[in-house]
């Protein structure tokens, strides 16, 4: 049955494919999440969820059809899609058998089916079952903005723009308790992510004057001092509220003074003359929480010694936060352990999946976090459903899966998006003096794999040079690795060998200080059995399995009347 409803009402569509879409009449809003999907602000998606259902509400400014779907990879193939609209006052619905994909058109579906949507389409990665962070911010709470001013977005597909800002000066300790994106209206799809890095606190304030493209040969040297991520927002992401007992400290001698803000602009349509003034808003208060939040960078130490062969459908890297590092640092700083409450997993364009694995003794616990459909353009701190205790003597493995099947040369660990990283950033409390807990496989074993016998000493250049055998003589080690004739089988054998190599431990404090364990060589721990991430069940535990149930609301917004579909 189809019905016409007045504005502010919404109802439901029901259909059956590989799973069920089920719903019921709803009034008002009550949606805890929302996002704009298109660059013109016309396509608005809202949703909420509980243990049994996900409820969507879609409002689109169009007099034609609306398309919405759930996709494993952002493409229409293998997606669950619904198309609906209103013709001559009668709602209609078409169906076919998760990054969210969307589309709309200015005309309704005709007898031959929907017309091609053209540029009015897109995809957006979202975590629909993210616990989220509720905002409870007084309108009188102080805030400061870190905001670009009239940045001319270059006439190219992708730009990374960086600028250093000074944190708000305060006379005594304060806590930052919420951070929100400030995205210029109409630029919701232009700004793909914003990262904040803590910089050297002794920078000259003249460094604050102008921005520059990141990862560029002519970028200011000061950018290289900004390494530890303090916060991250990505397209589709919402503001982040710290738990009520935790805050990000500012105003003390060990707190950030300067931060670098990196903004990724995505301009696939090569728009000209675009000027952007997006950024972040940080809310802070003198009413201190019980704990200071800290950030630990874990994973693979960013270096050329982290390398991926070309032509690989899957290649796995592991970065270890070793029990030796956590035993020394937490044993001295916080013997009772720290509690992790959010995780950001970070890789670059070759990344496909990331897990942050957690071990205690010989037992593997459930992963701290995992993302089996990693999207480089959707990276943000994921709030854990339950805080996780991290004890002295525990160890973590950040496991990254990559694909290099379309690449002809080696992929190196590094800063640019064509380089790679494998990192997990842990938000935790109480804050301790541990900035990085990482590892790096030894280089000698990797060079022996391709037949290198001797390097030139003393080392006077970087990358260092090979002495023998003759075929690699006078080549840098990176050139030698590229010269090697890689195949899928050789790449697989190399991967298996690297995962068993002794590794160099990185265990650093804030600034330039190190824990004594840093620089030692340890063997990777033996993993006797693997714990798989838990499945998310969209039903109560007592109910019989009958497929996934989604509560779905679709509304077509007109200037006066909101028309909804009911079946």
């Amino acid at each position: 049955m189809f019905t016409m409803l007045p504005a502010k009402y919404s109802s439901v569509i029901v259909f059956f494919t590989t799973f069920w879409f089920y719903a019921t009449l709803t009034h008002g809003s009550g949606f805890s999440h929302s996002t704009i999907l298109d660059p013109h602000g016309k396509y608005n998606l809202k949703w909420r969820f509980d243990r049994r259902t996900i409820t969507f509400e879609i409002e689109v400014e169009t007099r034609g059809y609306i398309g919405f779907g759930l996709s494993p990879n952002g493409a229409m193939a293998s997606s669950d899609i619904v198309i609906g609209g209103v013709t001559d006052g009668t709602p209609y619905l078409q169906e076919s058998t998760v990054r969210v994909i969307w589309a709309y058109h200015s005309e309704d579906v005709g007898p031959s089916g929907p017309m091609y949507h053209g540029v009015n389409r897109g995809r957006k990665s979202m975590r629909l079952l993210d616990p989220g962070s509720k905002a409870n911010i007084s309108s009188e709470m102080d805030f400061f903005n870190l905001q670009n001013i009239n940045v001319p977005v270059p006439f190219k597909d992708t730009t990374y723009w960086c600028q250093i800002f000074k944190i708000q000066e305060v006379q005594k300790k304060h806590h930052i308790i919420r951070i929100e994106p400030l995205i210029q209206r109409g630029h919701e799809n232009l700004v793909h992510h914003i990262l904040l890095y803590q910089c050297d606190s002794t920078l000259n304030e003249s460094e604050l004057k102008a921005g520059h493209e990141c990862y560029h040969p002519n970028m200011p040297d000061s950018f290289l001092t900004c390494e530890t991520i303090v916060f991250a927002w990505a397209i589709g992401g919402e503001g982040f509220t710290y738990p009520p007992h935790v805050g990000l400290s500012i105003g003390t001698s060990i707190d950030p003074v300067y931060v670098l803000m990196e903004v990724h602009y995505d301009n696939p349509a090569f728009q000209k003359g675009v000027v952007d003034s997006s950024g972040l808003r940080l809310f802070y208060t003198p009413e201190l929480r019980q704990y200071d939040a800290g950030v630990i960078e874990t994973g693979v130490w960013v270096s050329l010694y982290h390398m991926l062969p070309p032509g690989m459908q899957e290649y796995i890297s592991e970065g270890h936060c070793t029990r030796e590092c956590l035993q020394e640092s937490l044993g001295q700083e916080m013997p009772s352990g720290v509690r992790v409450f959010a995780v950001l997993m970070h890789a670059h364009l070759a990344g496909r999946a990331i897990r942050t694995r957690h071990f205690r003794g010989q037992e593997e616990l459930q992963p701290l976090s995992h993302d089996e459909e990693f999207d480089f353009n959707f990276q943000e701190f994921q709030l854990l459903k339950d805080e996780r205790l991290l004890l002295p003597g525990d160890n973590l493995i950040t496991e990254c899966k990559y694909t290099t099947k379309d690449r002809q040369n080696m992929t190196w660990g590094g800063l640019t998006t064509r380089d790679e990283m494998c990192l997990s950033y842990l938000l935790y409390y109480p804050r301790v003096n541990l900035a990085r807990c990482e590892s790096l496989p030894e280089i000698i074993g990797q060079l022996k794999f391709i037949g290198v016998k001797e390097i030139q000493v003393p080392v006077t250049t970087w990358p260092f040079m090979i002495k023998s055998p003759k075929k690699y003589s006078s080549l840098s080690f990176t050139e030698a690795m590229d010269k090697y004739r890689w195949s899928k089988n050789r790449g697989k054998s190399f991967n298996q060998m690297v995962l068993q190599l002794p590794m160099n431990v990185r265990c650093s404090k804030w600034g330039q200080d190190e824990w004594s364990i840093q620089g030692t060589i340890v063997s990777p721990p033996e993993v006797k059995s693997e714990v798989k991430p838990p499945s998310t069940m969209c039903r109560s535990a007592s109910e019989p399995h009958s497929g996934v149930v989604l509560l779905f609301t679709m509304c077509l917004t007109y200037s006066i009347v909101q028309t909804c579909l009911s079946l």
Side-chain angles (χ1 to χ4, degrees):
M1 179 180 65
F2 295 101
T3 59
M4 297 286 291
L5 299 176
K8 303 304 180 185
Y9 284 73
S10 58
S11 72
V12 175
I13 51 180
V14 181
F15 64 89
F16 301 85
T17 60
T18 53
F19 49 78
W20 300 8
F21 281 86
Y22 163 82
T24 162
L25 188 67
T26 59
H27 296 258
S29 178
F31 291 92
S32 55
H33 301 274
S34 66
T35 187
I36 302 295
L37 296 185
D38 74 308
H40 307 294
K42 293 184 176 182
Y43 201 117
N44 185 22
L45 174 67
K46 302 176 184 178
W47 74 95
R48 62 174 179 264
F49 66 90
D50 55 31
R51 290 193 61 188
R52 298 184 64 245
T53 61
I54 303 177
T55 307
F56 295 94
E57 182 178 279
I58 300 170
E59 296 180 0
V60 183
E61 185 183 333
T62 181
R63 291 184 178 273
Y65 74 79
I66 294 172
F68 177 80
L70 300 178
S71 166
N73 56 19
M76 294 182 71
S78 301
S79 300
D80 295 290
I81 302 171
V82 59
I83 295 176
V86 178
T87 298
D88 298 327
T90 302
Y92 63 86
L93 178 67
Q94 291 190 347
E95 307 148 27
S96 67
T97 321
V98 180
R99 292 165 173 82
V100 169
I101 62 174
W102 58 271
Y104 66 91
H105 198 278
S106 59
E107 298 183 20
D108 273 306
V109 174
S112 60
M115 298 178 63
Y116 180 58
H117 41 59
V119 298
N120 297 322
R121 65 169 295 276
R123 69 177 187 176
K124 176 175 283 193
S125 295
M126 291 185 289
R127 297 183 184 94
L128 297 177
L129 300 183
D130 192 319
S133 51
K134 300 291 185 181
N136 187 18
I137 303 299
S138 166
S139 59
E140 299 179 355
M141 180 166 288
D142 291 329
F143 63 85
F144 62 93
N145 297 338
L146 306 176
Q147 189 170 9
N148 288 325
I149 303 298
N150 297 328
V151 171
V153 178
F155 175 63
K156 60 181 181 179
D157 180 67
T158 298
T159 300
Y160 292 84
W161 187 264
C162 286
Q163 183 167 344
I164 294 178
F165 295 85
K166 189 172 185 179
I167 289 289
Q168 177 73 33
E169 292 189 26
V170 290
Q171 300 303 311
K172 62 178 182 178
K173 179 177 178 178
H174 285 61
H175 270 151
I176 293 172
I177 63 171
R178 179 168 171 81
I179 305 180
E180 295 180 349
L182 292 175
I183 307 303
Q184 182 173 324
R185 185 176 178 83
H187 289 188
E188 288 82 3
N189 263 33
L190 176 71
V191 181
H192 256 235
H193 74 241
I194 302 176
L195 301 180
L196 283 187
Y197 298 85
Q198 182 171 345
C199 304
D200 190 328
S201 61
T202 62
L203 291 180
N204 190 308
E205 293 204 8
S206 63
E207 303 280 2
L208 309 179
K209 291 183 179 179
H212 198 283
E213 282 197 48
C214 320
Y215 315 118
H216 191 279
N218 297 329
M219 72 180 186
D221 291 340
S222 57
F223 286 9
L224 299 176
T225 74
C226 311
E227 296 183 310
T228 300
I229 286 185
V230 176
F231 182 73
W233 173 88
I235 187 168
E238 305 169 61
F240 183 84
T241 301
Y242 286 83
H245 51 297
V246 186
L248 178 63
S249 178
I250 58 173
T252 78
S253 60
I254 60 175
D255 294 334
V257 177
Y258 303 102
V259 292
L260 179 140
M261 186 170 74
E262 172 192 299
V263 180
H264 170 200
Y265 292 113
D266 185 59
N267 187 17
F270 293 93
Q271 301 177 67
K272 293 183 178 180
V274 178
V275 176
D276 181 68
S277 298
S278 297
L280 296 171
R281 174 164 292 173
L282 296 86
F283 294 85
Y284 65 104
T285 175
E287 299 178 8
L288 301 181
R289 268 87 183 283
Q290 185 176 359
Y291 300 106
D292 292 341
V295 181
I296 303 174
E297 179 183 286
T298 70
V300 179
W301 191 341
V302 180
S303 167
L304 291 177
Y305 293 175
H306 178 208
M307 58 187 81
L308 318 177
M312 300 299 295
Q313 178 66 36
E314 180 176 280
Y315 187 91
I316 298 176
S317 292
E318 291 182 349
H320 296 254
C321 177
T322 65
R323 61 173 57 94
E324 292 85 357
C325 178
L326 291 179
Q327 182 62 57
E328 181 181 14
S329 58
L330 296 186
Q332 293 188 32
E333 294 266 317
M334 193 63 58
S336 59
V338 297
R339 293 191 174 274
V340 179
F341 62 87
V343 180
L344 180 147
M345 297 173 291
H346 182 65
H348 286 172
L349 293 173
R352 293 297 180 269
I354 309 181
R355 284 193 296 167
T356 310
R357 303 170 68 184
H358 185 194
F359 299 82
R360 181 165 296 153
Q362 299 298 314
E363 179 185 2
E364 181 172 7
L365 309 179
Q366 285 291 339
L368 269 175
S369 58
H370 62 96
D371 189 344
E372 303 304 318
E373 297 290 343
F374 175 78
D375 183 351
F376 172 72
N377 292 317
F378 185 58
Q379 303 186 53
E380 64 177 354
F381 280 109
Q382 300 178 38
L383 198 65
L384 303 187
K385 182 179 180 181
D386 299 303
E387 295 176 353
R388 181 71 65 84
L389 180 65
L390 187 61
L391 292 172
D394 284 3
N395 65 289
L396 305 172
I397 299 177
T398 300
E399 176 190 274
C400 297
K401 293 182 180 180
Y402 305 97
T403 181
T404 61
K405 62 180 181 180
D406 297 324
R407 300 190 178 190
Q408 304 301 314
N409 297 310
M410 297 291 289
T411 299
W412 304 99
L415 297 178
T416 74
T417 58
R418 290 289 294 179
D419 297 330
E420 266 310 327
M421 293 185 179
C422 180
L423 299 170
S424 295
Y425 292 92
L426 314 183
L427 277 179
Y428 72 95
Y429 69 88
R431 180 171 56 173
V432 297
N433 193 0
L434 176 62
R436 293 181 178 85
C437 182
E438 298 166 329
S439 72
L440 191 64
E442 278 204 296
I443 186 60
I444 298 302
Q446 298 182 75
L447 293 177
K448 285 183 177 179
F449 182 88
I450 66 167
V452 171
K453 297 179 179 179
E454 189 177 4
I455 67 171
Q456 292 184 10
V457 291
V459 174
T460 57
T461 61
W462 181 255
F464 60 76
M465 309 298 290
I466 304 299
K467 185 175 182 180
S468 67
K470 186 176 181 180
K471 64 178 179 179
Y472 297 139
S473 179
S474 299
L475 296 180
S476 69
F477 82 84
T478 55
E479 292 170 330
M481 280 287 180
D482 269 329
K483 185 176 181 179
Y484 182 71
R485 297 183 64 180
W486 292 100
S487 66
K488 292 180 180 178
N489 287 337
R490 287 176 174 178
K492 185 177 295 185
S493 297
F494 180 76
N495 196 177
Q496 293 170 348
M497 181 272 300
V498 169
L499 293 177
Q500 299 303 316
L501 283 177
M503 52 194 186
N504 194 306
V505 172
R506 188 180 200 187
C507 190
S508 60
K509 302 180 180 180
W510 304 321
Q512 304 300 314
D513 294 332
E514 303 169 354
W515 290 97
S516 65
I517 195 68
Q518 175 147 324
T520 60
I521 305 297
V522 301
S523 297
E526 181 181 351
V527 178
K528 295 183 178 181
S529 61
E530 184 176 341
V531 173
K532 297 293 185 182
S535 299
T536 300
M537 301 302 294
C538 293
R539 59 187 174 92
S540 65
S542 61
E543 291 180 320
H545 179 74
S546 58
V548 179
V549 180
L550 293 178
L551 185 64
F552 190 100
T553 304
M554 187 180 218
C555 297
L556 310 176
T557 302
Y558 291 79
S559 57
I560 300 176
V561 177
Q562 185 181 51
T563 304
C564 300
L565 305 174
S566 179
L567 185 65

